[in-house]
Each structure stands twice: as C-alpha cells, then as structure tokens.
Amino acid sequence: MENEETKITEQTGADFDRVIETADLESLYILRRTAVTYFLKMNNLAAVVFEDSEEKREPSLRYLCGHPSDAILIIAANGDSVLIPWDENLAAQCAHAGKIVPFTKYERKNTVAVRETLKKLNAGPHPAVELPPSTPYPLFLEYLTELEGWDVKCRNNSTHDFVVKQRSVKDTYEIACTRKAAFITSQLTDAIEKQLRSGKIKTETDVALFIEKELRAYKCERTGFDTLAAGPSRSFAIHAFPGYTSGLWGTEGLSILDYGVVCNGYTSDATITIAHGPLTKEQETQIETVQSVYDALKPLYANGLGVRAAAEKADALFAKHKVSMPHGLGHGIGLEIHEEPFVSKRTDDQALFKPGMIVTLEPGLYDQKNGGCRLENDILICESGNVQLTNSRIITL
C-alpha cells in the first residue's frame, strides 16, 4: 500500500501525457477485474453481468474493460471475462477483455447473450449470478426464465455497488486522464476570459459554442455534461434551464459558466463567475462570501478528514453570513460527472477523504434579484493535503 500511496503523491507533478501514453491498459483492466472476482468469491457468486445500453448507461463497464459503450460484460469468479459489444469493430480497437463475442451472435438479445455465455461456465450446481440493481422488473423476470438453474440476484450492496466504491479512488492512469481534462479546462477558462475582455464573446451561445469547438481541437471526446452558461438575468438558477440561450453573458451583473471536458472517458467539472461592474453592495457581499467560504474549506479536503464534516462546515460558515447554500458542497468526478464521494450532509458520517479521490469544491449563493455566484474547482486528495487541478475563479470586469 505504501508504494501505491507514494505514486498518488508523485502523480501530482507528473507529465500526464507520458503516463497516459505509456500505460499498460491490458494489465490495468485485468487488475480491476481481479478485484471484482475476489468480491464474487467472497459473496458466493459465480458471475456478474454489467450492461451498458441506451436504456441505462453503465460507466463501470468502461472502467473494467475500456469499451466505451453499448455492450454486455460478464465477469466470472474463476477470472474469465466476456465482452459482448454492439459494435465489434469499436471493441477490437478499444476493449480489453478475456474474450470478445459480437452481439449479433445472440440475435441481439441481452437475455440470450447472457444465457449462452453462462452456459459455458463450469459453475457447479445452482450457481448464483448477479444482475445490475437498475434492471427493470419485467427484464428481471425475463432473465429468470432464460437462466434456468441459476440463482439470479438483483439487489443493493451488490458487486456493482462494490465497483462504484472502487471507482471513487482513482489509480495513476485515472488521475493522469483527469489531470489532462482539468489542464485543458484551465486553458479554455483563460481563453474565455481573454475572449470576453476583447468583446469576442458576448452571449451565452458564444461561450458554449466556443467550448464545444475548442475541446475538439484539444482532441477531447466531448463535454462532460451540457454546458451551463447563464448571464445576469438567469444566473439565479443553480443549473440554468435551458443550459444556454442567445441572451447576454458576462455583461453588467453576475454571470455563471459551469462546464467540463472529457479525456479518455474522464471528465473535469469547473464553474467560474463573471462579476461585471458596477455591482451592488449585495452582489459584492455575495461574491466575497463565496470566495471566503471556498478558501476556508479547501484545507478540509484532506486525507483522513470527514467528507460530511466539510459540508457541515460550509453550512456553518454561510449561516454566519445569514445565508444558506441550496446544494451540496461537492462530489467526486471520473467516468461520470457525479460519483462518490458526495460532499453532503446526507453522506455517511464515517466516510473519509482518501488519496486518489478527485472531488469538486463548489460553494455558491443565488438570488433572484442579484443573480448567482459559484466557484468550483476539481481537487485531488493526496497523502498530504490536496492539489487544485483546475483554475476556476471569480473574474471581475
């Protein structure tokens, strides 16, 4: 464990491109699946099914084999793994699994694919297989019919939940991918400020499409989520609806921009506030309060400290200013924009920050008259302290 912890600390200053380009992905995915097989054995399960489809996206499938989407992955307790992709050409390029069998071989029916794959396992009498907890009840009944002789489980505290917990602490490769996404985000934030000051960006649409265009130049996969660009007339909303319009952005008052970019599946998540003067006294107090809370809470994102405690401290600090924040303080990021841990008062009091977690810190205040202010950065938890990966700030004009 000591060696791995040292790697996490050293990674904060490493060349992320070098780490990404030299990663032994085959070994990496085998290591992740090995943890799953251990869990299966400890819970008397012969196999587990992961399914990613249009009906239900499952990032853990990519985490375990590298295939980006639309596939079934079956992992057996004996260490076997079978990927059944919708796009076999894409799988040949991206996937790392023990065996790859095209979905077309099984009439493009998930129940048939799982049934025929499990038949080939030497699993003993009445073995148990676990389906995703998100499996709809009608589909679960179909599986019960197809998997005769199997104990079909669909439950909470499952193998799938175990993998979600596993994903909350990033390994060296994941940290490098997220650091690259964060670096590109920081470059874009600098460019947005420059474009705004020069008058080239004037509307919500301008800034949203600028991000969309530039991230492609950086060879990113996509935005991490629909960009939220809210000018002074709409920044009172936590997440403006719609995400952006043709309205003015960065003009007099408070404007918010919340966005992220994806590199190798891993997303960043950053929010800047544009404070364009002249501001009212209430608006100045609002941004000063958000900044002071951010500065006070950043040191609490540290190895061994309580996740819930940070959220409770945020509420206490805002309460001193006789205001309240209407959302959680932060959340993990990775293959999904919202992952564990969740920095919220609803989080288990025993949850602690651990080295390798990448968590947002995003205090914010919103007022229908004054507008909104949010400051959000991505924070890497290290053995000692933390590293802020993005360069979001409150930009005053």
Side-chain angles (χ1 to χ4, degrees):
M1 183 63 180
E2 183 177 352
N3 290 338
E4 181 60 27
E5 291 173 348
T6 302
K7 288 180 183 178
I8 289 171
T9 304
E10 292 175 348
Q11 175 63 22
T12 62
D15 177 351
F16 46 74
D17 279 324
R18 175 182 55 80
V19 174
I20 294 169
E21 291 166 4
T22 60
D24 181 355
L25 296 180
E26 182 71 22
S27 297
L28 180 67
Y29 292 120
I30 289 174
L31 183 63
R32 293 176 184 174
R33 292 197 299 270
T34 298
V36 173
T37 60
Y38 178 77
F39 183 90
L40 293 175
K41 292 174 182 177
M42 293 295 293
N43 288 271
N44 297 314
L45 296 165
V48 61
V49 178
F50 293 87
E51 183 175 355
D52 181 272
S53 65
E54 289 184 354
E55 291 77 20
K56 176 64 173 70
R57 291 301 172 194
E58 177 50 90
S60 289
L61 186 141
R62 186 172 188 175
Y63 175 79
L64 293 166
C65 70
H67 188 68
S69 65
D70 298 297
I72 296 170
L73 175 67
I74 298 174
I75 300 175
N78 66 6
D80 290 345
S81 60
V82 180
L83 178 70
I84 307 164
W86 174 69
D87 187 334
E88 58 184 297
N89 294 327
L90 184 62
Q93 183 181 45
C94 301
H96 298 263
K99 190 175 183 180
I100 299 176
V101 183
F103 198 35
T104 51
K105 184 175 179 180
Y106 304 111
E107 307 167 30
R108 292 189 177 277
K109 293 183 179 179
N110 47 4
T111 54
V112 174
V114 173
R115 181 193 69 200
E116 295 303 309
T117 302
L118 292 180
K119 276 183 180 180
K120 298 176 182 178
L121 290 180
N122 183 19
H126 201 60
V129 60
E130 197 160 56
L131 301 178
S134 59
T135 303
Y137 186 63
L139 179 57
F140 175 72
L141 294 179
E142 289 183 39
Y143 272 115
L144 284 180
T145 301
E146 292 286 352
L147 302 181
E148 185 178 357
W150 283 80
D151 179 9
V152 182
K153 298 182 180 296
C154 184
R155 58 187 179 176
N156 292 324
N157 300 317
S158 64
T159 312
H160 305 80
D161 298 313
F162 167 77
V163 176
V164 167
K165 293 286 187 184
Q166 190 178 11
R167 286 168 42 203
S168 70
V169 176
K170 274 56 182 177
D171 57 36
T172 305
Y173 175 75
E174 293 179 286
I175 293 171
C177 292
T178 310
R179 286 189 64 237
K180 183 168 185 176
F183 172 78
I184 293 170
T185 301
S186 297
Q187 296 291 103
L188 291 179
T189 295
D190 290 344
I192 288 166
E193 179 179 0
K194 184 177 180 180
Q195 294 265 321
L196 180 61
R197 291 185 183 277
S198 68
K200 293 181 180 179
I201 287 178
K202 299 179 180 179
T203 68
E204 296 172 356
T205 299
D206 287 342
V207 68
L209 295 186
F210 176 80
I211 292 167
E212 188 69 39
K213 177 183 177 182
E214 291 301 309
L215 72 85
R216 306 295 172 180
Y218 280 105
K219 299 181 180 180
C220 297
E221 293 181 8
R222 54 182 172 81
T223 56
F225 50 95
D226 290 341
T227 296
L228 299 167
S233 66
R234 305 193 320 126
S235 63
F236 63 84
I238 300 170
H239 284 169
F241 179 83
Y244 58 89
T245 70
S246 60
L248 295 175
W249 184 81
T251 51
E252 185 176 328
L254 301 179
S255 297
I256 283 177
L257 174 66
D258 187 351
Y259 75 107
V261 304
V262 176
C263 290
N264 301 306
Y266 290 83
T267 189
S268 60
D269 187 7
T271 304
I272 62 173
T273 294
I274 307 298
H276 192 301
L279 301 177
T280 65
K281 181 177 177 56
E282 290 80 6
Q283 288 172 326
E284 289 178 347
T285 299
Q286 192 170 341
I287 62 176
E288 288 169 1
T289 301
V290 169
Q291 184 68 66
S292 66
V293 170
Y294 180 93
D295 293 340
L297 292 175
K298 185 181 173 185
L300 299 186
Y301 278 50
N303 179 26
L305 296 186
V307 175
R308 180 174 171 175
E312 292 174 338
K313 181 66 173 179
D315 284 355
L317 290 174
F318 278 122
K320 288 183 178 180
H321 294 275
K322 299 182 179 180
V323 292
S324 62
M325 181 173 64
H327 55 74
L329 181 61
H331 54 85
I333 57 172
L335 290 169
E336 291 182 282
I337 189 58
H338 295 117
E339 296 191 351
E340 293 192 13
F342 293 93
V343 191
S344 163
K345 290 195 297 183
R346 293 175 295 177
T347 296
D348 188 329
D349 195 40
Q350 302 302 310
L352 303 176
F353 289 113
K354 299 177 183 178
M357 288 181 170
I358 303 179
V359 192
T360 67
L361 171 58
E362 48 181 302
L365 291 173
Y366 314 87
D367 182 88
Q368 285 194 326
K369 178 183 177 181
N370 300 322
C373 174
R374 182 162 69 250
L375 175 57
E376 176 185 20
N377 279 298
D378 303 334
I379 310 294
L380 169 64
I381 310 301
C382 300
E383 277 301 301
S384 176
N386 61 53
V387 174
Q388 180 177 303
L389 301 182
T390 45
N391 68 349
S392 296
R393 63 264 189 195
I394 298 171
I395 298 171
T396 56
L397 300 177

